[in-house]
Amino acid sequence: SLVFGRAMAEAREIRHHHLRLAKRFPLRGAAEPLILGCLLSGIFDAAQDTDTAFLVEADGAALTARMLASSDAVVAEVSRHWTPLLEYARERGELRSDVDIPAATRWLSFLEFSYLALPELMPKRSALIAQFKSFVIPALLQPTIKPASRRGAK
C-alpha cells in the first residue's frame, strides 16, 4: 500500500540520517555535547537535506507524524539512534535515574520533528542551543557540579 511504502521510505531515510549522526558523534566523552550535537544536527542538517525534505514538507508532515506515532519500522529507526546514546549516558552515570529511555526517545523525536515541520517557530541556532541547555539537558541529565572558582589562589 501507499502508506506502507511511505513508512519504509521514511524508515530508510531516518536510518541514513542517523548513521551520519553516529559517525559524526561517536559515543565518547560526556553525554551533553553528544545529545546537543545530535539534536542540532538532526534539526539543521535534516532541514537542508534534499533526501529527507519529503519527511516534513507541507503535504508529508502529517503522514510523517502518524508514522512516528504508529509505524513500528519508523519508531524502531528513531529508537536505534537515541536509545544507545541515552543508555551510554546512563552507563556513565549522567542520565537522570528517573528518565524512561523509550519515553525520552519519543520526546526527543517530537522535538526534532516539531522544529523541522514548523521551521517558522525555530529560533536562531544560538537561541535554540540555549533553550536545549536550559530545558532538554536538565530533563535528561544529572546536574553537573562545576568546580569552585579558584579566584585569589596563588
mmCIF file of all heavy atoms in Angstrom, residues 8 54 65-66 70 81 119 131:
data_model
loop_
_atom_site.group_PDB
_atom_site.id
_atom_site.type_symbol
_atom_site.label_atom_id
_atom_site.label_comp_id
_atom_site.label_asym_id
_atom_site.label_seq_id
_atom_site.Cartn_x
_atom_site.Cartn_y
_atom_site.Cartn_z
ATOM 1 N N MET A 8 8.234 2.766 4.800
ATOM 2 C CA MET A 8 9.538 2.157 4.507
ATOM 3 C C MET A 8 10.523 3.211 3.994
ATOM 4 O O MET A 8 11.692 3.202 4.364
ATOM 5 C CB MET A 8 9.388 1.023 3.484
ATOM 6 C CG MET A 8 8.642 -0.191 4.013
ATOM 7 S SD MET A 8 9.434 -0.942 5.457
ATOM 8 C CE MET A 8 8.448 -0.301 6.795
ATOM 9 N N PHE A 54 11.178 15.474 2.092
ATOM 10 C CA PHE A 54 9.815 14.966 1.952
ATOM 11 C C PHE A 54 9.200 14.564 3.289
ATOM 12 O O PHE A 54 7.978 14.483 3.416
ATOM 13 C CB PHE A 54 9.760 13.793 0.970
ATOM 14 C CG PHE A 54 10.271 12.489 1.525
ATOM 15 C CD1 PHE A 54 9.387 11.567 2.080
ATOM 16 C CD2 PHE A 54 11.622 12.180 1.492
ATOM 17 C CE1 PHE A 54 9.861 10.358 2.587
ATOM 18 C CE2 PHE A 54 12.089 10.983 1.996
ATOM 19 C CZ PHE A 54 11.212 10.066 2.548
ATOM 20 N N ALA A 65 4.135 12.470 10.935
ATOM 21 C CA ALA A 65 3.743 12.460 12.347
ATOM 22 C C ALA A 65 3.010 11.166 12.688
ATOM 23 O O ALA A 65 3.265 10.560 13.733
ATOM 24 C CB ALA A 65 2.852 13.670 12.651
ATOM 25 N N ARG A 66 2.114 10.725 11.805
ATOM 26 C CA ARG A 66 1.415 9.452 12.046
ATOM 27 C C ARG A 66 2.389 8.290 12.062
ATOM 28 O O ARG A 66 2.263 7.367 12.860
ATOM 29 C CB ARG A 66 0.325 9.233 10.997
ATOM 30 C CG ARG A 66 -0.926 10.026 11.280
ATOM 31 C CD ARG A 66 -2.126 9.532 10.495
ATOM 32 N NE ARG A 66 -1.968 9.591 9.051
ATOM 33 C CZ ARG A 66 -2.156 10.673 8.310
ATOM 34 N NH1 ARG A 66 -2.499 11.803 8.875
ATOM 35 N NH2 ARG A 66 -2.015 10.631 7.006
ATOM 36 N N SER A 70 2.978 5.579 14.927
ATOM 37 C CA SER A 70 2.380 4.254 14.764
ATOM 38 C C SER A 70 3.168 3.244 13.947
ATOM 39 O O SER A 70 2.914 2.050 14.066
ATOM 40 C CB SER A 70 0.988 4.408 14.144
ATOM 41 O OG SER A 70 1.107 4.983 12.848
ATOM 42 N N HIS A 81 18.693 5.165 17.121
ATOM 43 C CA HIS A 81 19.632 6.285 17.291
ATOM 44 C C HIS A 81 19.688 6.747 18.743
ATOM 45 O O HIS A 81 20.757 6.799 19.347
ATOM 46 C CB HIS A 81 19.237 7.460 16.399
ATOM 47 C CG HIS A 81 20.013 8.699 16.698
ATOM 48 N ND1 HIS A 81 21.354 8.809 16.441
ATOM 49 C CD2 HIS A 81 19.651 9.852 17.290
ATOM 50 C CE1 HIS A 81 21.773 9.989 16.847
ATOM 51 N NE2 HIS A 81 20.763 10.641 17.360
ATOM 52 N N PRO A 119 9.278 25.207 10.736
ATOM 53 C CA PRO A 119 10.521 25.992 10.796
ATOM 54 C C PRO A 119 10.307 27.451 11.180
ATOM 55 O O PRO A 119 11.215 28.091 11.705
ATOM 56 C CB PRO A 119 11.103 25.861 9.386
ATOM 57 C CG PRO A 119 9.952 25.476 8.524
ATOM 58 C CD PRO A 119 9.012 24.704 9.400
ATOM 59 N N GLN A 131 18.110 27.207 24.680
ATOM 60 C CA GLN A 131 16.874 26.555 25.126
ATOM 61 C C GLN A 131 17.127 25.086 25.456
ATOM 62 O O GLN A 131 16.641 24.590 26.476
ATOM 63 C CB GLN A 131 15.798 26.669 24.054
ATOM 64 C CG GLN A 131 15.230 28.052 23.914
ATOM 65 C CD GLN A 131 14.226 28.161 22.788
ATOM 66 O OE1 GLN A 131 13.754 27.169 22.243
ATOM 67 N NE2 GLN A 131 13.914 29.383 22.414
#
